[in-house]
Amino acid sequence: MKQFLLSLIVLLGMACKSSKERAQNTTGQEVESDSLTLVFQDDYSGISAPQFMVIKGAKELQGLFSKINRTRKPGIPVPEVDFAKDLLVVYCSGETSTNTSTSLRTGKETGDTVLVELVEQVDPEAASITVVTTPICIYKMPLTPKTVTLNER
């Protein structure tokens, strides 16, 4: 009986630890692309024009989430990020009524630049549905002294 309880506690401890380490989007799927790890994804950002941002500090992240949470009650919690090790890459698609989902992946690295590519995927199941959204995706990547830029292809 003691061995069973001990193994159950160890199993639960390992499960909790692994769930904290996974980046998940709002549907609960783990998504990772090269050196980019998805931290947050949602269909509503409240930002109507397309924007690409690189966030290197907690104050900038807090400012972004204050815009996102302006009309949400309760608001979405701000993700915890260690900015000594990582930076955040944010892409807001702006207002869109298309049935595509947007994601980012790392592209070519040159001497002083890291290119991040925009990947759009069409959802054939939602072809007949038209909804206006303002999607946002936030990815974490290791801190780099290089300039991170968006390559929209």
Side-chain angles (χ1 to χ4, degrees):
M1 183 67 177
K2 288 181 184 180
Q3 187 177 14
F4 174 74
L5 287 175
L6 182 61
S7 61
L8 182 64
I9 291 171
V10 170
L11 181 64
L12 287 174
M14 289 174 30
C16 291
K17 183 179 180 184
S18 67
S19 67
K20 287 180 185 177
E21 293 173 354
R22 273 191 258 152
Q24 295 182 348
N25 64 12
T26 54
T27 60
Q29 298 171 338
E30 182 179 337
V31 180
E32 219 173 292
S33 167
D34 302 347
S35 63
L36 293 176
T37 305
L38 183 65
V39 175
F40 176 76
Q41 183 174 15
D42 197 58
D43 288 330
Y44 178 75
S45 66
I47 299 171
S48 59
Q51 274 187 320
F52 176 77
M53 297 175 260
V54 176
I55 296 179
K56 296 184 178 181
K59 190 173 182 178
E60 292 174 88
L61 182 60
Q62 186 66 40
L64 174 65
F65 270 81
S66 68
K67 287 180 188 176
I68 293 171
N69 289 333
R70 192 171 293 153
T71 58
R72 290 179 182 243
K73 300 299 177 214
I76 298 170
V78 179
E80 292 183 25
V81 178
D82 182 4
F83 287 104
K85 297 179 186 175
D86 301 313
L87 60 86
L88 295 178
V89 179
V90 179
Y91 182 72
C92 301
S93 300
E95 282 189 10
T96 181
S97 60
T98 60
N99 298 316
T100 59
S101 63
T102 306
S103 61
L104 300 175
R105 70 175 177 211
T106 54
K108 296 180 182 179
E109 282 192 45
T110 61
D112 61 346
T113 305
V114 176
L115 291 178
V116 175
E117 296 176 346
L118 184 62
V119 179
E120 292 185 348
Q121 298 170 342
V122 177
D123 185 6
E125 293 178 7
S128 63
I129 302 170
T130 304
V131 177
V132 176
T133 60
T134 56
I136 182 172
C137 55
I138 302 175
Y139 288 86
K140 177 174 67 172
M141 71 181 290
L143 189 62
T144 179
K146 298 179 180 183
T147 306
V148 180
T149 58
L150 180 66
N151 181 15
E152 295 186 47
R153 286 203 226 182

